[in-house]
Amino acid sequence: MEISFTRYRIYRECPWKYKLMFIDQRRIPLNPKSSMGLSLHRALEAWLSEGERTEESLREALKSQWLGQGYPDDDTQELWYSKAERILSRFYKEEESRRTRIIGVEKEFIWTLADHEVRGMIDRIDQGPDGSYELIDYKTGPALPNAGDVAADGQLRFYALGARRALGFSPAMLTMDCLAAGGRVSAPYDASGEEALEADILRAASAIEQGSFSPDTSFCPRCDLRRGCLYSGEK
């Protein structure tokens, strides 16, 4: 069993949702927000991986990586594209003030957990002047989290565990770079709880491999696949 954070998260939300998405291949349609978010991630990956990092090249990266799906009409797409341009313009100005250096963009890790493989892709890894490492995850939601939210974030902790197990370093700092909200929030990484997380990933991977997909109906109100689901009650 190969398990990523997305697979782990979806299974923990609702095993039946996992079955619908990864076995039955049901897809959540793109909407303007999710489509713009994917476009921003792709643009930043392309821009940060290339040699020239000017504001103009960042705009070109957005243009080349833009997804046109998920918009009801051209006018709506144009509005969201303009929003993405404003977000990246602000990002560029903030990027100029960084004192860290980038050592990884979309950095993959793979490590073995019992009979399974744990795989992930870290948006960005920076190294500070003191040699310490910072894991950065880009977010496109409208609100800024607090430091406690960042320290407890499941995705960042999953990635930090992957960095320790597969990449040979322990991050000192976890950061959410909130592109749309216009700010970065960081928190020191506390490695306590790694054993519990590792055990929970193992339980989820083993349960998936065994075909255990009992629904968790408490998640139904927040599920993007609730329409037509046998257990949600929505047609």
Side-chain angles (χ1 to χ4, degrees):
M1 173 67 200
E2 181 181 288
I3 189 161
S4 63
F5 175 74
T6 298
R7 287 175 176 262
Y8 169 69
R9 175 180 62 81
I10 296 297
Y11 190 81
R12 280 293 171 238
E13 287 175 353
C14 174
W16 187 256
K17 181 181 179 182
Y18 181 97
K19 177 184 178 299
L20 292 178
M21 289 185 64
F22 296 106
I23 296 177
D24 299 345
Q25 297 294 303
R26 283 189 61 184
R27 290 290 175 257
I28 299 170
L30 287 172
N31 57 41
K33 179 181 175 182
S34 60
S35 187
M36 185 192 73
L38 285 171
S39 296
L40 287 171
H41 273 81
R42 288 169 40 146
L44 286 174
E45 178 187 358
W47 185 71
L48 291 169
S49 299
E50 67 182 24
E52 183 185 13
R53 292 184 191 154
T54 63
E55 188 168 5
E56 181 58 31
S57 66
L58 182 54
R59 287 179 176 272
E60 287 299 317
L62 177 64
K63 183 178 180 180
S64 66
Q65 299 298 325
W66 183 257
L67 295 173
Q69 297 85 14
Y71 302 96
D73 51 58
D74 290 344
D75 288 343
T76 302
Q77 182 176 181
E78 186 175 338
L79 287 172
W80 282 85
Y81 189 88
S82 296
K83 180 177 180 179
E85 285 187 313
R86 292 193 299 273
I87 287 171
L88 290 184
S89 179
R90 182 170 58 215
F91 172 87
Y92 179 79
K93 291 179 176 62
E94 293 172 351
E95 190 70 10
E96 289 184 306
S97 67
R98 275 191 180 274
R99 297 176 62 244
T100 56
R101 67 184 182 95
I102 300 171
I103 63 167
V105 176
E106 293 294 322
K107 179 65 176 178
E108 185 177 39
F109 61 80
I110 305 171
W111 59 283
T112 301
L113 177 60
D115 296 328
H116 313 293
E117 279 194 342
V118 184
R119 181 186 294 264
M121 195 80 75
I122 303 169
D123 282 351
R124 175 170 168 173
I125 305 170
D126 276 21
Q127 189 172 33
D130 61 354
S132 63
Y133 293 95
E134 176 186 10
L135 299 190
I136 301 167
D137 192 46
Y138 293 117
K139 301 293 186 185
T140 54
L144 285 173
N146 58 47
D149 293 332
V150 174
D153 182 73
Q155 185 171 13
L156 281 167
R157 296 193 65 81
F158 188 100
Y159 290 169
L161 178 60
R164 282 169 61 89
R165 294 287 186 270
L167 303 181
F169 71 87
S170 179
M173 194 70 64
L174 306 178
T175 296
M176 286 186 188
D177 196 333
C178 302
L179 302 172
R184 300 187 182 106
V185 183
S186 300
Y189 176 58
D190 180 357
S192 64
E194 281 190 343
E195 290 185 4
L197 175 57
E198 188 172 320
D200 200 48
I201 295 169
L202 178 58
R203 280 192 293 271
S206 299
I208 291 167
E209 192 172 54
Q210 292 163 14
S212 178
F213 301 116
S214 299
D216 181 354
T217 54
S218 67
F219 185 75
C220 288
R222 294 166 285 156
C223 182
D224 295 310
L225 298 177
R226 62 184 180 274
R227 291 188 181 277
C229 176
L230 293 173
Y231 300 98
S232 70
E234 289 195 29
K235 296 182 179 180

